[in-house]
Amino acid sequence: MTGIPETVSSIKQAAEFTGLSEDTIRYYEKIGLLPYADRKASGHRTYSKHQLNGMVFLTRLKATGMTLEEMKHFRKLYEIGEASLTQRVSILIEHKNRIQNEIDRLQETQKMIDFKIDKYKEVLVNPDTNTKWKSPFAD
Amino acid sequence: MTGIPETVSSIKQAAEFTGLSEDTIRYYEKIGLLPYADRKASGHRTYSKHQLNGMVFLTRLKATGMTLEEMKHFRKLYEIGEASLTQRVSILIEHKNRIQNEIDRLQETQKMIDFKIDKYKEVLVNPDTNTKWKSPFAD
DNA sequence: TCTTGACTTGGAGTGTGCTCCAAGTTGTAT
DNA sequence: ATACAACTTGGAGCACACTCCAAGTCAAGA
């Protein structure tokens, strides 16, 4: 079951793959968000395909508003092992709900913007309408 | 056409209405994002209904990822007057597109999370499956 | 062997957006 | 008159998430 070495990557390749900067990857390791990476004899970091996929998932959580602290917490639960599985499921469900709320708010704002664009376009067609406005963001 | 005084609010009421803190409202004025507010004889700020609505729209733009600098730019365009209307429409359309991209990314992440939740639940039902995982965020 | 470039570390600095504070003034209730 | 809260100003400080730097090590090609 052992013997076939997994493909490993340098920090540069990891950065390219994940979209994070090399500095950011080192920073995440420093603050304990990423585990201490394996090093080559030279001391250079190496990453497995697994770890790269993990880092991509991480960037998705970050991009959807999860803080570094929350992600650290999630990782700590992971380290406990299976005993924390239900907790991890809860966190993911909770985060998914937060994302849904965010989507709802974004869509509401799109409607507000559409409404405002319509009003602006009205004025472009018929400039008299303009007297209604008192504030750059009003109505 | 004059004579009916508009309802005005204190900074505290403005904060309650908009969800911004009093400090934040003063800060926005300080950096030139909000115009210098009218003051009472005492020096206390007053806000019209119009301005309050404008501030709410502002919070929507901020909550959807527009930076304070971009909002300042928008306000400067507003101050130019009608000559900037087309530009302002462009900015709003552009921002609406950014929101749409954000919504798309959020929905993709929801799918990734669902996928992961399913895998976790699988392990809860059948613990042997667990050996597949090497990283807290992998797959 | 020499050069070039990728990598290492610890720590300092940065940008954004607030948030808090001190010291003073004004408004309202008793 | 006397509290006490609400407000004012300018400026300092803070949290988050990087981002950059200096000084040094390591690896591969001409």
Side-chain angles (χ1 to χ4, degrees):
Chain A
M1 237 43 175
T2 57
I4 298 162
E6 276 190 311
T7 316
V8 292
S9 307
S10 66
I11 193 168
K12 186 178 190 184
Q13 290 169 317
E16 270 160 21
F17 187 76
T18 61
L20 297 168
S21 75
E22 299 178 33
D23 269 324
T24 300
I25 293 171
R26 290 193 202 95
Y27 168 68
Y28 284 177
E29 188 184 306
K30 187 152 52 179
I31 64 169
L33 173 54
L34 291 173
Y36 186 82
D38 291 342
R39 314 286 155 127
K40 290 190 266 192
S42 60
H44 294 187
R45 288 169 181 80
T46 58
Y47 297 95
S48 70
K49 219 167 170 300
H50 250 308
Q51 289 171 321
L52 294 184
N53 286 334
M55 284 161 71
V56 169
F57 188 65
L58 178 91
T59 64
R60 296 288 80 217
L61 292 181
K62 187 187 53 134
T64 53
M66 192 178 277
T67 65
L68 302 186
E69 277 310 311
E70 286 172 304
M71 289 187 277
K72 271 172 77 172
H73 180 225
F74 190 86
R75 201 177 86 80
K76 259 164 211 148
L77 288 174
Y78 168 79
E79 277 161 7
I80 295 170
E82 281 194 36
S84 68
L85 259 180
T86 9
Q87 255 197 88
R88 280 182 273 159
V89 170
S90 306
I91 288 172
L92 292 180
I93 289 171
E94 165 67 20
H95 187 61
K96 209 190 126 193
N97 290 339
R98 276 158 57 185
I99 292 175
Q100 190 54 53
N101 291 338
E102 175 70 6
I103 290 171
D104 293 346
R105 289 192 313 111
L106 290 172
Q107 284 170 341
E108 274 168 38
T109 302
Q110 280 189 321
K111 279 184 206 147
M112 287 179 84
I113 290 173
D114 274 335
F115 186 72
K116 203 170 173 65
I117 288 172
D118 284 348
K119 285 186 63 182
Y120 272 171
K121 284 193 170 153
E122 231 174 81
V123 178
L124 281 169
V125 171
N126 177 7
D128 328 345
T129 333
N130 195 26
T131 50
K132 288 190 211 161
W133 297 342
K134 306 274 153 68
S135 170
F137 304 116
D139 293 325
Chain B
M1 235 42 176
T2 56
I4 298 162
E6 276 190 311
T7 317
V8 292
S9 307
S10 67
I11 193 168
K12 185 178 191 182
Q13 289 170 317
E16 270 160 21
F17 188 75
T18 61
L20 298 167
S21 75
E22 298 178 33
D23 269 325
T24 300
I25 293 171
R26 289 193 202 97
Y27 168 69
Y28 284 178
E29 188 184 306
K30 185 149 56 178
I31 64 170
L33 173 54
L34 290 174
Y36 186 81
D38 291 342
R39 313 287 155 126
K40 291 189 263 191
S42 61
H44 295 185
R45 289 168 180 80
T46 58
Y47 297 94
S48 69
K49 219 166 171 301
H50 250 307
Q51 288 171 321
L52 293 184
N53 286 335
M55 285 162 70
V56 169
F57 188 64
L58 180 90
T59 63
R60 295 288 82 217
L61 293 180
K62 187 187 51 135
T64 53
M66 192 178 277
T67 66
L68 302 187
E69 277 309 311
E70 287 172 304
M71 289 188 277
K72 270 171 78 172
H73 179 225
F74 191 85
R75 202 177 85 81
K76 260 165 209 146
L77 289 175
Y78 166 80
E79 276 161 8
I80 295 170
E82 281 193 37
S84 69
L85 259 180
T86 10
Q87 256 196 90
R88 279 182 273 160
V89 170
S90 306
I91 289 172
L92 291 180
I93 289 172
E94 164 66 20
H95 188 62
K96 209 191 127 192
N97 290 338
R98 277 159 56 185
I99 293 175
Q100 190 54 53
N101 290 338
E102 175 70 7
I103 289 171
D104 293 346
R105 290 192 314 112
L106 290 172
Q107 283 171 341
E108 275 167 37
T109 302
Q110 280 190 322
K111 279 184 206 147
M112 287 179 84
I113 291 173
D114 274 335
F115 186 72
K116 202 169 174 67
I117 289 172
D118 284 347
K119 285 187 62 182
Y120 272 171
K121 284 194 170 154
E122 232 174 83
V123 177
L124 281 170
V125 171
N126 177 8
D128 328 344
T129 333
N130 195 27
T131 51
K132 288 190 210 162
W133 297 342
K134 307 273 154 69
S135 170
F137 305 115
D139 292 326

